[in-house]
Amino acid sequence: MARTRLYLVRHGEQDPASDHAPTGGLSPLGREQADRLGRRLGTVPFTAVHHSRLTRATQTADIVAGHLPRVPRHACDYVVDRTPVPSPGQLSAYPDRWHAWFDGVPADERDEDAVALRAAVEHFGVVGEKDRDELLVTHNFVIGWFVRHVLDAPVWQWMSLNQAHCAITVVQWSDDRPPALISFNDTGHL
């Protein structure tokens, strides 16, 4: 029986001087976090590393890749920084206290009704003929969405999950059981 195991990692800490701009790179601490992450994951038999195109995620993946020299890596549109925002007809599925917060989500991060994030789960959450381990270097809300999906939690639950920089969350799909959360926000290597 085959399985797919996804290692979901939030990028390293962004340089505060960048004021959280999309082009902002890693801080010195973020580079150290990425190096520690790479050392921790160096023995995992990854088939691929997928990373967001944003500078902080690309730099994290580059540093981690130094510990995974034979693993192919590439920028991947499925793991870009997205915020699942409800359409007006779906707003009632979210707690009232968060409704106003959605107005501040930047246009380039908005993923109405999580259409793109649902596609990401569908793309990565498949089981092939043999075991597969893949690393996704991404962003907090993307990881929250995957965890919410695996736990079959309410649609808004991604908002209550916070991932530390370079922490490891592992989710797994098997051909003989529902998806499972293996670990969440593991920071033991940091």
Side-chain angles (χ1 to χ4, degrees):
M1 292 179 233
R3 59 121 181 104
T4 294
R5 188 171 288 162
L6 302 178
Y7 290 71
L8 307 167
V9 172
R10 184 179 183 186
H11 57 80
E13 179 188 77
Q14 187 172 357
D15 187 344
S18 70
D19 196 30
H20 299 288
T23 57
L26 296 177
S27 69
L29 175 59
R31 287 188 288 280
E32 181 180 337
Q33 291 167 333
D35 184 62
R36 288 176 181 227
L37 173 67
R39 284 186 270 147
R40 169 79 179 274
L41 297 177
T43 60
V44 178
F46 289 116
T47 54
V49 176
H50 313 273
H51 63 86
S52 165
R53 295 180 190 281
L54 293 181
T55 304
R56 58 193 181 268
T58 300
Q59 289 178 347
T60 301
D62 288 346
I63 293 168
V64 170
H67 299 275
L68 306 168
R70 291 178 289 284
V71 179
R73 75 183 189 294
H74 67 279
C76 177
D77 289 338
Y78 285 111
V79 297
V80 300
D81 197 4
R82 299 185 196 285
T83 303
V85 297
S87 62
Q90 297 298 316
L91 195 58
S92 64
Y94 284 76
D96 292 341
R97 67 184 177 274
W98 290 330
H99 290 188
W101 180 83
F102 290 118
D103 295 336
V105 175
D108 61 336
E109 291 179 18
R110 297 177 77 82
D111 181 13
E112 190 168 284
D113 293 335
V115 170
L117 286 170
R118 291 174 196 275
V121 169
E122 187 174 317
H123 174 77
F124 287 112
V126 295
V127 179
E129 293 181 17
K130 59 184 180 174
D131 289 351
R132 190 175 93 237
D133 295 277
E134 296 191 6
L135 174 60
L136 283 61
V137 180
T138 185
H139 305 275
N140 192 43
F141 295 156
V142 175
I143 296 168
W145 186 266
F146 270 84
V147 171
R148 182 223 62 84
H149 172 83
V150 166
L151 295 177
D152 198 23
V155 70
W156 57 268
Q157 197 66 56
W158 62 269
M159 296 181 81
S160 65
L161 302 169
N162 191 28
Q163 188 79 7
H165 293 108
C166 286
I168 303 167
T169 291
V170 181
V171 293
Q172 179 172 295
W173 278 261
S174 301
D175 55 11
D176 63 338
R177 63 186 65 173
L181 178 65
I182 305 300
S183 69
F184 177 74
N185 206 31
D186 177 359
T187 59
H189 54 287
L190 300 174

